[in-house]
Amino acid sequence: MEELTPEQQRKLFEDEVRRIARHLWPEAEFCGAAHIAGRERDGVFITAEEVHIIECTVSKGRDKAIQDVKKLVEAIRHWEKREPMKSPKGWFITKEEPTDLQREVVNCCKARVVAASFDQFRAKLVDAKTYLELRKNYAFGSVRDPETNHAIIDLDYEEMSLVGLGGDLYTVDGLLRLLLPEGQPSGKFVVLGDYGAGKSSTMREFFLRLRKLYFENRTAKFPILLNLNDHQGEDDPVEALARHAQKIGFGFDRGAELVSAWRGGYAVLLLDGFDEIIATGMSARTKKLREVRRQSMTLLRNFVQQTPPEAGIVIAGRKHFFDNPIEMSAALGLDTSFKNLDLDDFSDEQVKRYLKKRGWNETIPEWVPARPLLLGYLASKSLLRQIVEGQAGSAPAAGWHGLLTKISAREAERSRVVDADSVRQLLERLATLARNSTSGLGELLPDQLVKAFADICGYAPEDTGLQLLQRLPGLGVNNPEDGSRKFIDQDLVSAAAAGDVYRFISDPHGAALDSSGWQSSISPLGVQVIALRCNESHFTGKQLSAAAKNAADGTGQHTLCVDIVRTLLELKLPYEGPQLFIQGVEIPEMPFDESSGDLSAVHFQRVLFVSAEFAPELNDSRLPEFTDCDFITVAGRTGRADLPPRVMSSCNVEQFDDSAVNTSAILKMPVSLGARVLLTILKKLYVQKGRGRQEAAFFRGLDYRAQALVPEVLNLLKHEGFVSQAHYTGQTVWLPNRSASHRSRARMILAAPNECQDSLMIEAARI
């Protein structure tokens, strides 16, 4: 905070003492400084039974104490004569703890005078220091250990970016200056963020920094932070503050102290989790989710309306909980003094720092999400290391499979009624419905949300169920006019969409799954998650083949059939059923290599392939047949003459990826063999489409001498932080680093390999 002059400090101190006095003795709210017997007194407050006379000082000197105490004694004698039925009392208030000399002066005056520090005097209104100590040791929203779910007390905060309207950037310290201004109304903010964006940790940081300023006597205001999830069914701020005081151990009856401090403008109110409040009894009266949301915000509206201008307020909740800012402002009762701030995801550098603080000092794979909550899950108990280096699956698939489990458990803990498995199945069902939209992200109407809940849980959503639907992670506003929702995270919806396909494979005759409206086959990440779960369940090629045939025989289920065939391809399993015909489907990606299972009994007719790859060493007899199909991009082949004629009939190809030609050109460059191998690997990782490559892909197109150098070059790239290693169904997968600096460096090396003096090229040349 800005330094004040001594005179400003004195005046501010006296004003604060008088403000506290008015709240201590509300009968005397219009009293203040006064003249008695021709001398000015800092404060005189007259109640029905007492007269309180105040002298306050910022000085620690004995002489000033003698002067002030003398004035108090004179005033007491005056009021004893003037109002003999009232009991006059003198207050000698010091900014710091009274010195022994100052106390000696008071003790020797032989009058009813009390020496007290400003903190002691203020504690008569509210014992803020005790409150702050107790509150510090109570849970802060979702700031919990991802593994144990226990509240985290000590947390090394990673500074988040808060973005205002028009792109203005704010920091926590910058907002504190707006929350604690001098001589003008305090700031009022709404902090918005997607699931896992760090809202609770940011609110906790507000609390801790305000607490520190209070203990350092740099502000007279202290923070009160409520987890709104603790206040279900409440609409009265007084009741909420009393309940809050009880929960942290301050005492239910001492909630009145918090109320006095809040209404007196001595508190900064921090309200975390508006999306976690349930409006009880609403399900019996309405199914309109917008009405449910408004009713749920009654407590928030009352807090906003009753907070005085001099008390700052920060409210936090999920960004896409409301249909639009207009609905949010109306539901929360916000006026134009409130500023909306969005929490950004971590930058690459913040991700690196965050994970480093939690023991991860190695390469960060490209797929790793940039949200604090999800990073926290990955970092807990070395989960990231288990995923990246373990045998459970490829990093993206195993990572998102694990994250969906963690996210569902977290939401179930907050709903208190729906179990974690049901939450996950609900997310997966909505991801399935989202596949009916052209974007794949969904246009989910409120009725569809309610029906999906009933289908999964077996009953219509009541209060807690409706609240869960409002705040499902990963869902945002699609159309505020009809209240529809969509997924806002492509990776999350892709991973979640795998769930219903996996369940169909598990029980193709019992699982009811309608794929007739799906616009496209599932994304590559979704296929990986299906393959991972099938591998964990030890499904055989025959089991997947039977499920694929069952889907193909169903009406309009060809897209579901493709998902299963692509899973066979991902698992390197053959199709072991009768002839399989697939028609009229769009497939985003389909790679065939020498280890692919035999799919010769599969026939694609009038299918659109966005991308397909045919490895040069592939045995064409194991490929499916393609009739009247369209390929936007074909990789691994140099032209139409290079396509396998047996399996291609009347097919159109828009373009051929020249990767094979590029590899050949690289191998002819006048640089060392080790450098040439490095360039081919960098091209496959950082230029070609995809998030990673199976290790076998780096050997393709190389002669035996170059192939012998591949392991050493990959280890060099791993040592330099360009790649990380994962394992997937018995195969090694290499993933590029998510860092923009590594990506830029790789592209610079590829752009000018002959003139490049990068240390990576120099080291590769020595291999």
Side-chain angles (χ1 to χ4, degrees):
M1 310 303 290
E2 295 182 3
E3 292 295 330
L4 302 176
T5 66
E7 179 60 24
Q8 288 174 323
Q9 291 181 11
R10 182 191 65 77
K11 186 177 184 306
L12 181 63
F13 175 57
E14 291 177 358
D15 288 343
E16 286 300 319
V17 170
R18 282 189 285 265
R19 272 203 335 130
I20 292 172
R22 292 186 182 102
H23 288 283
L24 278 175
W25 307 300
E27 295 174 75
E29 62 176 320
F30 298 109
C31 296
H35 281 78
I36 300 175
R39 301 183 68 180
E40 184 178 359
R41 314 300 161 124
D42 291 339
V44 177
F45 297 87
I46 306 171
T47 69
E49 297 182 353
E50 291 185 309
V51 177
H52 299 275
I53 307 124
I54 294 175
E55 291 294 337
C56 43
T57 181
V58 297
S59 171
K60 294 182 179 181
R62 183 173 183 274
D63 291 343
K64 182 66 165 65
I66 292 173
Q67 177 185 337
D68 286 346
V69 170
K70 183 179 179 181
K71 291 172 64 178
L72 288 171
V73 172
E74 291 175 353
I76 289 172
R77 301 290 181 255
H78 170 83
W79 283 104
E80 284 176 339
K81 295 177 181 178
R82 180 172 172 177
E83 296 282 353
M85 300 301 292
K86 295 183 186 290
S87 175
K89 182 176 182 179
W91 295 88
F92 176 62
I93 310 299
T94 58
K95 186 173 183 180
E96 308 292 342
E97 180 70 18
T99 67
D100 56 344
L101 294 177
Q102 287 174 317
R103 289 192 183 279
E104 182 182 354
V105 170
V106 171
N107 293 336
C108 293
C109 73
K110 296 181 180 180
R112 194 169 175 235
V113 177
V114 175
S117 68
F118 177 71
D119 284 345
Q120 290 172 318
F121 187 64
R122 183 170 51 187
K124 290 178 65 62
L125 181 67
V126 56
D127 186 359
K129 289 191 174 182
T130 298
Y131 166 79
L132 292 173
E133 283 301 315
L134 292 168
R135 183 62 186 88
K136 179 178 180 289
N137 295 315
Y138 184 71
F140 289 87
S142 60
V143 183
R144 295 176 177 270
D145 183 280
E147 193 67 27
T148 65
N149 201 37
H150 293 159
I152 296 176
I153 303 304
D154 297 317
L155 175 72
D156 190 0
Y157 178 70
E158 178 66 41
E159 188 76 40
M160 304 285 292
S161 297
L162 293 134
V163 185
L165 190 65
D168 296 334
L169 294 178
Y170 295 85
T171 63
V172 171
D173 283 338
L175 291 174
L176 290 183
R177 287 190 286 271
L178 298 175
L179 286 168
L180 302 171
E182 302 296 344
Q184 54 185 319
S186 294
K188 302 181 188 301
F189 303 97
V190 179
V191 174
L192 303 170
D194 297 327
Y195 77 99
K199 298 179 293 297
S200 290
S201 60
T202 298
M203 295 292 277
R204 177 184 183 275
E205 194 64 17
F206 277 126
F207 174 86
L208 292 179
R209 296 192 193 183
L210 285 165
R211 174 180 176 274
K212 181 180 179 182
L213 291 173
Y214 182 84
F215 281 144
E216 292 175 349
N217 286 321
R218 298 172 67 188
T219 177
K221 299 178 182 179
F222 69 97
I224 298 175
L225 192 155
L226 274 66
N227 299 332
L228 293 174
N229 187 260
D230 290 341
H231 301 280
Q232 306 297 346
E234 297 175 14
D235 56 17
D236 182 4
V238 173
E239 178 186 350
L241 289 170
R243 177 74 59 82
H244 172 67
Q246 181 184 41
K247 278 188 169 292
I248 69 169
F250 193 53
F252 186 86
D253 57 335
R254 300 188 71 182
E257 296 182 28
L258 298 181
V259 174
S260 296
W262 162 56
R263 288 184 169 164
Y266 291 104
V268 175
L269 196 60
L270 306 174
L271 305 173
D272 184 24
F274 63 66
D275 52 290
E276 298 187 26
I277 305 180
I278 302 170
T280 57
M282 284 297 292
S283 58
R285 302 194 302 273
T286 181
K287 295 296 183 184
K288 294 182 178 179
L289 297 184
R290 182 172 292 190
E291 186 177 341
V292 172
R293 291 193 293 268
R294 176 173 176 79
Q295 186 65 26
S296 298
M297 296 301 109
T298 302
L299 175 63
L300 272 295
R301 283 197 302 278
N302 290 336
F303 262 124
V304 168
Q305 292 166 5
Q306 296 175 34
T307 296
E310 59 269 22
I313 181 170
V314 183
I315 305 171
R318 288 199 179 169
K319 182 177 181 179
H320 299 287
F321 182 74
F322 296 102
D323 285 344
N324 52 52
I326 296 175
E327 185 202 350
M328 182 182 74
S329 293
L332 296 179
L334 309 180
D335 57 31
T336 56
S337 66
F338 277 84
K339 295 182 183 296
N340 293 348
L341 304 175
D342 288 343
L343 275 172
D344 267 0
D345 284 349
F346 278 160
S347 65
D348 288 342
E349 187 59 34
Q350 286 175 311
V351 169
K352 182 178 179 180
R353 285 200 303 268
Y354 184 93
L355 290 178
K356 185 175 182 179
K357 292 173 183 176
R358 287 151 181 82
W360 183 264
N361 296 299
E362 301 172 36
T363 300
I364 301 171
E366 187 179 34
W367 67 269
V368 170
R371 293 178 185 168
L373 176 69
L374 303 186
L375 284 172
Y377 286 149
L378 290 172
S380 65
K381 291 197 174 180
S382 301
L383 181 60
L384 181 58
R385 185 175 302 281
Q386 293 173 31
I387 291 171
V388 171
E389 297 183 354
Q391 296 294 330
S394 70
W400 278 103
H401 179 44
L403 287 174
L404 279 173
T405 299
K406 291 286 188 180
I407 291 168
S408 301
R410 177 177 182 264
E411 296 305 312
E413 190 271 334
R414 275 157 176 71
S415 75
R416 304 172 186 176
V417 173
V418 183
D419 62 84
D421 187 58
S422 296
V423 174
R424 174 156 184 170
Q425 287 190 47
L426 177 57
L427 274 172
E428 291 171 338
R429 179 58 48 83
L430 294 177
T432 296
L433 294 173
R435 297 182 66 180
N436 293 328
S437 65
T438 54
S439 67
L441 298 175
E443 299 170 2
L444 305 170
L445 293 167
D447 287 347
Q448 290 178 293
L449 299 178
V450 172
K451 184 179 185 303
F453 183 99
D455 289 344
I456 297 300
C457 299
Y459 58 89
E462 298 295 328
D463 298 329
T464 53
L466 289 172
Q467 187 234 16
L468 175 65
L469 291 175
Q470 307 301 301
R471 60 187 310 276
L472 277 170
L475 286 182
V477 176
N478 176 64
N479 184 346
E481 297 299 322
D482 58 16
S484 61
R485 293 293 190 262
K486 66 179 179 181
F487 283 88
I488 58 175
D489 191 308
Q490 184 64 63
D491 284 345
L492 187 145
V493 71
S494 296
D500 277 344
V501 179
Y502 166 75
R503 273 183 285 278
F504 180 86
I505 295 171
S506 302
D507 183 12
H509 299 286
L513 184 58
D514 180 12
S515 68
S516 59
W518 292 357
Q519 298 296 303
S520 173
S521 179
I522 200 167
S523 74
L525 174 60
V527 172
Q528 289 180 8
V529 175
I530 300 170
L532 171 69
R533 299 184 70 175
C534 289
N535 189 60
E536 288 178 341
S537 299
H538 305 292
F539 289 172
T540 64
K542 285 187 177 181
Q543 188 168 354
L544 272 81
S545 299
K549 181 60 176 172
N550 184 285
D553 291 344
T555 304
Q557 299 283 73
H558 285 252
T559 305
L560 173 59
C561 180
V562 169
D563 290 349
I564 302 171
V565 170
R566 291 175 64 204
T567 303
L568 282 167
L569 192 61
E570 187 73 21
L571 290 169
K572 312 300 182 186
L573 296 174
Y575 173 72
E576 303 180 60
Q579 297 291 308
L580 188 66
F581 293 90
I582 301 172
Q583 302 175 351
V585 176
E586 179 181 321
I587 302 175
E589 183 178 312
M590 205 160 191
F592 300 92
D593 60 37
E594 60 274 13
S595 60
S596 297
D598 187 348
L599 300 181
S600 57
V602 178
H603 303 264
F604 290 103
Q605 300 173 337
R606 299 184 302 280
V607 170
L608 171 63
F609 293 86
V610 177
S611 174
E613 181 176 359
F614 301 93
E617 299 87 353
L618 176 64
N619 183 347
D620 293 348
S621 66
R622 300 165 69 87
L623 284 172
E625 290 191 16
F626 304 90
T627 304
D628 296 330
C629 293
D630 292 301
F631 295 82
I632 295 178
T633 301
V634 169
R637 301 300 168 101
T638 58
R640 189 172 297 276
D642 200 20
L643 292 173
R646 184 194 70 81
V647 299
M648 294 285 188
S649 177
S650 306
C651 293
N652 299 313
V653 179
E654 287 191 16
Q655 63 179 358
F656 289 87
D657 188 320
D658 59 356
S659 57
V661 177
N662 285 342
T663 298
S664 177
I666 287 173
L667 293 174
K668 294 177 182 178
M669 288 182 176
V671 294
S672 71
L673 183 59
R676 280 178 268 162
V677 173
L678 172 70
L679 293 170
T680 64
I681 293 175
L682 288 177
K683 176 180 68 67
K684 289 176 180 179
L685 284 171
Y686 284 96
V687 176
Q688 291 181 7
K689 185 178 180 181
R691 296 184 172 190
R693 289 287 183 271
Q694 294 179 6
E695 188 169 292
F698 299 120
F699 291 86
R700 294 182 194 137
L702 305 180
D703 61 27
Y704 74 94
R705 294 182 305 114
Q707 288 179 348
L709 301 185
V710 168
E712 289 186 68
V713 174
L714 285 171
N715 286 331
L716 171 63
L717 287 167
K718 182 179 179 181
H719 181 267
E720 294 293 323
F722 276 83
V723 296
S724 58
Q725 190 178 19
H727 300 278
Y728 182 54
T729 59
Q731 301 176 67
T732 300
V733 177
W734 292 88
L735 302 160
N737 191 324
R738 65 173 292 130
S739 165
S741 62
H742 282 82
R743 185 172 297 279
S744 174
R745 187 177 166 194
R747 291 182 179 274
M748 288 178 65
I749 292 172
L750 290 167
N754 292 312
E755 293 79 23
C756 180
Q757 297 299 313
D758 191 285
S759 60
L760 187 63
M761 280 286 283
I762 295 172
E763 289 298 319
R766 294 172 179 166
I767 294 176

